[in-house]
């Protein structure tokens, strides 16, 4: 076991050395990835803001002064009560990118900002809903497949990086229901997951069961 760990340590040291040696190349690749992430985040924000605007417009058309119906308020309340208890949006996986601003481990001066968290999983993995709700929108994120927006009252969850979708717009879904297959791109199978309260992002790690 010790010999195995030493070999792993040597391999990792070689990888880090190689990254430092080719820092400029990696920096360009990382910059490109950061730009792609920004486009994804911008599209997700646009969709959520549009969804909230449409909901408010429909409420005004129906002459309703209540921001939410009793059913929606109950759904929001139940969602809040499950903070720290929500199931992961996939059966198997590890978190490889966390919420918020992160400094790159190897390349100095490079920071990334994530509105959610990213999971790495196995090829062909299925994404699933973390709570009961309604599919508000299914949309395409250029270069990153499809994304699903699920409404949980005043809360939204976003599942991005899907190849196939198994649900429809307006469909009521339940906790752990299958939503779609995650894309495998350049040998990596990654799911991007976000939680929003209105137009404000939340740290998913604080909501998901044992994700610290």
């Amino acid at each position: 076991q010790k010999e195995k760990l030493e070999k792993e340590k040597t391999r990792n040291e070689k990888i880090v050395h190689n990254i430092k040696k080719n820092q400029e190349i990696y920096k360009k690749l990382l910059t490109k990835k950061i730009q792609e992430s920004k486009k994804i985040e911008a599209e997700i924000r646009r969709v959520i803001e549009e969804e909230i605007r449409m909901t408010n417009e429909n409420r005004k058309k129906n002459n309703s002064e209540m921001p939410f119906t009793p059913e929606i308020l109950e759904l929001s309340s139940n969602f809040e009560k499950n903070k720290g208890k929500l199931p992961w949006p996939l059966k198997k996986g590890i978190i490889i990118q966390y919420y918020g601003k992160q400094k790159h481990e190897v390349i100095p001066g490079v920071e990334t900002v994530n509105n959610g968290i990213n999971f790495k999983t196995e090829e062909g993995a299925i994404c699933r809903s973390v709570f009961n709700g309604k599919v508000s929108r299914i949309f395409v994120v250029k270069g990153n497949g499809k994304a699903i927006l699920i409404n949980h009252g005043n809360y939204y969850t976003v599942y991005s990086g899907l190849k196939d979708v198994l649900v429809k717009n307006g469909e009521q879904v339940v906790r752990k229901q299958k939503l779609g297959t995650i894309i495998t791109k350049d040998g990596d199978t990654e799911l991007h997951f976000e939680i929003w309260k209105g137009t404000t992002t939340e740290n998913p790690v604080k909501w998901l069961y044992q994700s610290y």
Side-chain angles (χ1 to χ4, degrees):
Q1 187 66 20
K2 188 179 177 182
E3 203 175 299
K4 191 177 177 183
L5 288 170
E6 285 296 326
K7 283 181 181 179
E8 183 68 20
K9 185 183 176 184
T10 304
R11 190 180 72 85
N12 289 338
E13 284 172 353
K14 283 180 181 178
I15 291 169
V16 172
H17 175 74
N18 191 42
I19 288 173
K20 285 180 178 176
K21 190 179 176 182
N22 301 283
Q23 200 173 94
E24 283 306 311
I25 296 169
Y26 279 96
K27 200 168 184 176
K28 284 179 183 177
L29 291 170
L30 188 60
T31 300
K32 187 181 177 183
K33 193 169 184 180
I34 290 169
Q35 288 171 346
E36 288 175 355
S37 295
K38 283 181 179 178
K39 287 179 183 177
I40 293 167
E41 298 294 1
E43 179 62 13
I44 290 171
R45 179 174 286 279
R46 185 193 69 78
V47 168
I48 287 175
E49 288 177 348
E50 188 177 285
E51 191 66 29
I52 291 171
R53 179 180 55 77
M54 287 173 64
T55 300
N56 289 337
E57 285 177 2
N58 288 333
R59 184 168 52 83
K60 286 177 182 177
K61 282 179 185 177
N62 295 326
N63 296 319
S64 174
E65 293 183 4
M66 281 189 68
F68 299 107
T69 64
E71 290 84 4
I72 290 176
L73 289 172
E74 185 180 1
L75 183 59
S76 293
S77 176
N78 288 337
F79 190 86
E80 286 178 347
K81 287 174 185 175
N82 278 271
K83 189 170 185 177
K85 303 173 188 175
L86 295 176
W88 284 33
L90 31 66
K91 281 187 177 180
K92 293 180 182 178
I94 57 168
I95 300 172
I96 56 168
Q97 287 182 30
Y98 284 85
Y99 175 84
K101 192 179 285 187
Q102 310 285 331
K103 288 184 179 180
H104 196 271
E105 292 179 0
V106 179
I107 304 173
V110 175
E111 286 185 339
T112 58
V113 179
N114 197 344
N115 282 343
I117 54 179
N118 289 41
F119 295 91
K120 187 172 184 177
T121 185
E122 57 191 13
E123 188 172 350
I126 300 291
C127 163
R128 60 188 189 177
S129 174
V130 298
F131 200 71
N132 302 343
K134 180 183 178 182
V135 178
S136 289
R137 193 83 65 94
I138 297 169
F139 56 103
V140 176
V141 179
K142 193 175 179 181
N144 198 53
K146 297 175 183 176
I148 299 174
L149 176 67
I150 296 181
N151 176 262
H152 310 278
N154 192 30
Y155 290 89
Y156 293 89
T157 51
V158 183
Y159 312 77
S160 176
L162 305 180
K163 179 175 66 174
D164 302 311
V165 173
L166 304 172
V167 291
K168 297 176 183 176
N169 274 328
E171 184 176 338
Q172 295 288 340
V173 295
V174 295
R175 181 185 174 107
K176 293 187 179 181
Q177 182 171 331
K178 293 178 181 178
L179 301 176
T181 310
I182 303 164
I183 285 177
T184 297
K185 186 179 176 183
D186 300 326
D188 291 323
T189 308
E190 286 187 28
L191 173 71
H192 179 68
F193 174 72
E194 297 183 7
I195 296 178
W196 292 67
K197 184 178 182 181
T199 55
T200 305
T201 60
E202 295 272 326
N203 184 353
V205 165
K206 293 182 179 179
W207 289 82
L208 299 178
Y209 179 70
Q210 289 187 354
S211 56
Y212 283 95

